[in-house]
Amino acid sequence: MSDVHVHRVQPAWKKSALIDNDTYLKWYADSVKNPDKFWGKHGKRIDWFKPFTKVKNTSFNGKVSIKWFEDGQTNVSYNCIDRHLKKRGDQTAIIWEGDNPYDDRKITYNELYAHVCRFANVLKKHGVKKGDRVTIYMPMIPETAYAMLACTRLGAIHSVVFGGFSPDALAGRIDDCKSTIVVTADEGLRGGKPIPLKDNTDKAIDIAAKAGTKVEKVVVVRRTGGKTGWVPGRDVWYHDEAATVKADCKPEKMKAEDPLFILYTSGSTGKPKGVLHTTAGYLVYVSMTHQYVFDYHDGDIYWCTADVGWVTGHSYIVYGPLANGATTLMFEGVPNYPSQSRFWDVIDKHKVNIFYTAPTALRALMGAGDGYVKKTSRKSLRVLGTVGEPINPEAWEWYFNVVGNAKVPIVDTWWQTETGGILITPLPGATDLKAGSATRPFFGVKPQLVNGDGTALEGAADGNLCIADSWPGQMRTVYGDHDRFVQTYFSTYKGKYFTGDGCRRDADGYYWITGRVDDVINVSGHRMGTAEVESALVSHDKVSEAAVVGYPHDIKGQGIYCYVTLMAGAASSEDLRKELVAHVRKEIGAIATPDKIQFAPGLPKTRSGKIMRRILRKIAEDDYGALGDTSTLADPAVVDDLVANRQNKR
Ligand code: 6R9
């Protein structure tokens, strides 16, 4: 191994591991040589109502078509619940840990069955059928998982919208998929503070109505008992409705390629895209990755700290673990409430064996000092994981040495909303680890590095990360806009899926993700299009033009840096700066809060009017000595003003 930070597989990890290195190498070779045979075998890990006879039918060329197991029939909720009942009906399926540490609940698989059936029957009573879109705008409570699984039971397509998004953002997502029913809660609770989910929903419904989508029904789960508005006839309490229906509901027979869910995600241009995942391939892929990446064994207590509003919550809180009959922990709160020990306290309280979190949380907790970790035991831990953004080697080493006492492997898992599940990752017990590298591809995944003109690079190299062939968990289309799907992912490099990430491959064949190469920024693991923040800024009546870039931020990974040009007659001031920050929060949500706003008389543009973001990024990074060639600018003088008034002086 060529790099310094190498942590070899420890004998203890090998002892219980599902996969050793030789098995990894053999399975990987088989999986890419003969995907039909490999996935034909592993496709049987889920139960089928009608077995598939075809496995892979995919093309990354032309119109792009991706089908897996296409003639089989199955149901996701059946696989996550019903098929486990005989063996593990009384086993805990979900451990819910509330925001308040004295608030928790355990739900067995038998109970999960009853809850999900009731939820499905409530949705059915209000007219939800196969193919309908159901928007779920919920806090981290078990009812959110019930609602998702209930949709899959009926064959309805859920669209979960993160509870931190604003009414405007929620409205856009409701309208895009023409969803006429919303599931929400009175309020959420995080760090002791209520979040007005129902009030936000009411506002969003008004905005969506103006855009042309009329929401007919709102199912409201009572979480805090806080006061909310109420529209009789439209709004119903979940607990009232649940009391009127049966706790049995037959799962629909779904075709493998029937839509499962839509999840909106940010790209480099335009509005967020509705990433569409379908039924069988997704479930096979997330259950298999959940088992092997986390070295999941029957009886393990597994905790992923993500929010179900993101893909990580879909695949690795709900669908992967439940398909495997696991006990999955769902956490309502935040890492620093009531103290910076919360994560480690919860691990001890519930004897968590597998813990999966984000680098931004680790960096923040690392900053709080080791004492908060060291006063807890954490001896139940067997595997640690990270996801969402590149992890810096310092945070990796801290996670390994302080949290894991140098005894527990870390899986740094690289993947995306679009990929459905983990694509590049170590396997505990098989993969020697390097701090900061996602290491090697999962079975069936063919990463390829290409240079600017699309030439595939061999051996140790630095380039843009593509995936050369399909895997079962891949997104199938952008909801309602297949052309945008083809354009976004398959047109930059013909015949390949382009991830938008830059990446280096070292001499050992290990992959090191270097971050986005497009106009997507990653703030605390939350993905955001700079274009979305720009459009929020220019919707303010004093703003004429805006350009947004990311810059390195110690805790968040990237911070949001905005260059703003004002309308003639508008004056820059501290008050206006605050007003613009509040405006962006209102338009998108708190996750998009600008860190820096620089008022600029002009932006650096080419003669054809294109903003030169490269220059703006350099100034935001306070690295303006390396601006590169500015000779193609229409007015090179604007750069001097930008440098003089930069907001991020070191
Ligand atoms: C699962 C998820 C995807 C983007 C992706 C990349 C970054 C995710 C990473 C990572 C380095 C890792 N990313 N995991 N970068 N190492 N282990 O996060 O999905 O929200 O769609 O974000 O996140 O840049 O392209 P999503």
Side-chain angles (χ1 to χ4, degrees):
M1 289 255 153
S2 54
D3 281 72
V4 273
H5 297 285
V6 181
H7 294 268
R8 299 213 174 260
V9 172
Q10 296 178 9
W13 310 348
K14 278 191 198 160
K15 214 161 53 193
S16 67
L18 296 168
I19 302 272
D20 60 19
N21 195 43
D22 291 343
T23 311
Y24 167 77
L25 294 171
K26 178 169 185 326
W27 283 28
Y28 182 75
D30 290 348
S31 71
V32 292
K33 214 180 308 145
N34 193 342
D36 276 290
K37 185 162 169 231
F38 184 85
W39 290 112
K41 175 171 171 227
H42 293 285
K44 295 190 184 120
R45 61 180 293 120
I46 66 168
D47 286 4
W48 296 83
F49 297 142
K50 176 175 174 279
F52 58 86
T53 64
K54 292 186 201 161
V55 179
K56 182 175 187 282
N57 179 8
T58 68
S59 163
F60 282 3
N61 287 296
K63 285 188 165 28
V64 180
S65 161
I66 298 158
K67 292 182 183 150
W68 284 89
F69 313 111
E70 60 189 290
D71 60 346
Q73 287 182 10
T74 183
N75 178 284
V76 166
S77 107
Y78 179 88
N79 272 285
C80 290
I81 310 170
D82 308 40
R83 68 164 173 162
H84 304 313
L85 296 181
K86 229 160 117 195
K87 190 173 158 204
R88 50 178 103 246
D90 292 325
Q91 181 203 304
T92 301
I94 299 176
I95 300 174
W96 178 72
E97 170 77 12
D99 185 55
N100 177 327
Y102 296 102
D103 213 358
D104 58 23
R105 257 193 274 168
K106 286 183 176 160
I107 296 104
T108 66
Y109 273 94
N110 280 330
E111 291 164 345
L112 183 63
Y113 173 85
H115 285 302
V116 170
C117 285
R118 274 192 206 280
F119 217 120
N121 284 329
V122 168
L123 295 175
K124 213 179 197 172
K125 179 177 157 188
H126 292 291
V128 173
K129 319 175 294 302
K130 194 187 247 186
D132 289 354
R133 278 81 54 218
V134 176
T135 300
I136 300 178
Y137 182 62
M138 287 280 276
M140 286 288 289
I141 55 178
E143 286 77 4
T144 311
Y146 306 160
M148 294 164 74
L149 288 159
C151 288
T152 72
R153 202 159 186 91
L154 302 175
I157 307 168
H158 62 65
S159 162
V160 181
V161 178
F162 173 56
F165 276 124
S166 68
D168 282 285
L170 174 59
R173 286 155 172 81
I174 290 172
D175 181 51
D176 184 81
C177 68
K178 306 282 170 239
S179 165
T180 58
I181 179 163
V182 178
V183 176
T184 189
D186 50 0
E187 294 177 316
L189 199 58
R190 274 166 69 84
K193 290 199 245 7
I195 296 154
L197 295 174
K198 172 63 166 61
D199 286 353
N200 286 350
T201 302
D202 290 345
K203 288 183 195 146
I205 288 174
D206 291 343
I207 303 166
K210 285 187 201 121
T213 300
K214 183 161 186 287
V215 171
E216 312 279 353
K217 210 38 76 182
V218 182
V219 179
V220 188
V221 175
R222 180 172 281 160
R223 165 63 188 101
T224 63
K227 253 189 142 73
T228 69
W230 202 259
V231 178
R234 188 197 71 184
D235 302 349
V236 294
W237 282 111
Y238 175 68
H239 56 266
D240 288 343
E241 298 298 299
T244 70
V245 297
K246 290 203 304 239
D248 267 309
C249 173
K250 229 177 122 202
E252 281 285 325
K253 289 197 171 75
M254 303 301 290
K255 294 192 197 117
E257 286 300 337
D258 279 338
L260 179 64
F261 66 79
I262 301 167
L263 185 55
Y264 286 87
T265 196
S266 300
S268 29
T269 53
K271 288 188 306 176
K273 294 180 283 283
V275 167
L276 185 85
H277 283 287
T278 58
T279 301
Y282 172 82
L283 195 66
V284 166
Y285 196 76
V286 296
S287 72
M288 183 155 173
T289 45
H290 172 262
Q291 181 183 2
Y292 291 110
V293 172
F294 299 107
D295 195 40
Y296 170 75
H297 289 66
D298 229 11
D300 279 344
I301 309 290
Y302 164 87
W303 180 17
C304 164
T305 69
D307 191 285
V308 281
W310 309 115
V311 75
T312 307
H314 284 59
S315 301
Y316 298 112
I317 294 177
V318 180
Y319 294 119
L322 294 178
N324 290 337
T327 299
T328 182
L329 193 152
M330 202 172 176
F331 176 46
E332 186 184 38
V334 293
N336 57 359
Y337 176 84
S339 89
Q340 308 269 11
S341 289
R342 186 68 191 276
F343 275 179
W344 329 120
D345 285 340
V346 174
I347 289 172
D348 285 353
K349 175 177 174 186
H350 297 291
K351 307 275 176 293
V352 171
N353 306 111
I354 302 164
F355 177 70
Y356 189 29
T357 195
T360 184
L362 294 172
R363 285 191 298 264
L365 294 170
M366 180 168 85
D370 297 1
Y372 290 105
V373 189
K374 286 193 170 145
K375 70 180 190 204
T376 62
S377 147
R378 291 157 283 109
K379 74 166 190 287
S380 54
L381 287 174
R382 229 190 56 242
V383 175
L384 296 171
T386 82
V387 60
E389 49 177 320
I391 182 164
N392 46 313
E394 302 71 37
W396 195 102
E397 295 289 349
W398 182 81
Y399 199 23
F400 186 79
N401 291 308
V402 180
V403 177
N405 287 330
K407 287 188 181 138
V408 180
I410 295 178
V411 289
D412 173 359
T413 63
W414 174 85
W415 59 295
Q416 310 177 294
T417 306
E418 294 87 338
T419 70
I422 295 163
L423 295 198
I424 303 182
T425 179
L427 300 182
T431 315
D432 288 335
L433 306 173
K434 296 186 193 182
S437 170
T439 76
R440 305 187 293 195
F442 190 73
F443 306 124
V445 174
K446 288 166 87 169
Q448 213 173 60
L449 300 184
V450 299
N451 66 12
D453 62 32
T455 313
L457 306 168
E458 301 299 327
D462 219 322
N464 292 336
L465 178 62
C466 293
I467 311 292
D469 200 358
S470 184
W471 63 100
Q474 183 172 24
M475 77 183 281
R476 304 302 198 249
T477 191
V478 170
Y479 185 77
D481 197 349
H482 194 71
D483 286 345
R484 190 171 176 201
F485 174 60
V486 178
Q487 188 59 35
T488 308
Y489 302 105
F490 301 92
S491 71
T492 319
Y493 304 110
K494 288 264 174 290
K496 304 179 207 299
Y497 168 78
F498 176 42
T499 65
D501 278 317
C503 183
R504 176 169 75 83
R505 185 171 48 219
D506 71 17
D508 297 312
Y510 274 38
Y511 291 85
W512 301 73
I513 310 296
T514 49
R516 303 287 305 197
V517 293
D518 53 11
D519 291 323
V520 171
I521 51 179
N522 194 326
V523 181
S524 299
H526 300 319
R527 191 172 148 176
M528 215 165 313
T530 50
E532 285 169 74
V533 184
E534 287 162 8
S535 96
L537 284 166
V538 297
S539 74
H540 188 283
D541 56 13
K542 291 196 177 131
V543 175
S544 110
E545 202 171 28
V548 172
V549 296
Y551 70 96
H553 186 287
D554 284 349
I555 304 287
K556 302 185 193 180
Q558 280 188 299
I560 302 178
Y561 194 116
C562 311
Y563 296 88
V564 171
T565 306
L566 296 175
M567 294 288 191
S572 63
S573 67
E574 255 337 283
D575 282 348
L576 181 56
R577 203 187 294 267
K578 284 192 194 121
E579 198 176 310
L580 293 179
V581 169
H583 182 70
V584 173
R585 290 172 65 104
K586 179 191 149 287
E587 292 287 309
I588 305 175
I591 56 168
T593 308
D595 294 280
K596 311 270 182 199
I597 292 184
Q598 175 170 359
F599 294 110
L603 296 174
K605 289 187 190 162
T606 61
R607 269 164 227 151
S608 62
K610 244 175 136 10
I611 294 176
M612 289 194 58
R613 291 169 173 283
R614 176 176 57 80
I615 291 175
L616 295 177
R617 278 192 210 108
K618 287 285 179 203
I619 295 171
E621 286 166 18
D622 200 17
D623 186 15
Y624 56 90
L627 287 182
D629 182 15
T630 56
S631 61
T632 56
L633 286 175
D635 178 10
V638 297
V639 172
D640 300 332
D641 177 84
L642 290 171
V643 169
N645 293 302
R646 67 194 189 281
Q647 299 290 305
N648 193 24
K649 295 190 183 116
R650 274 185 293 205

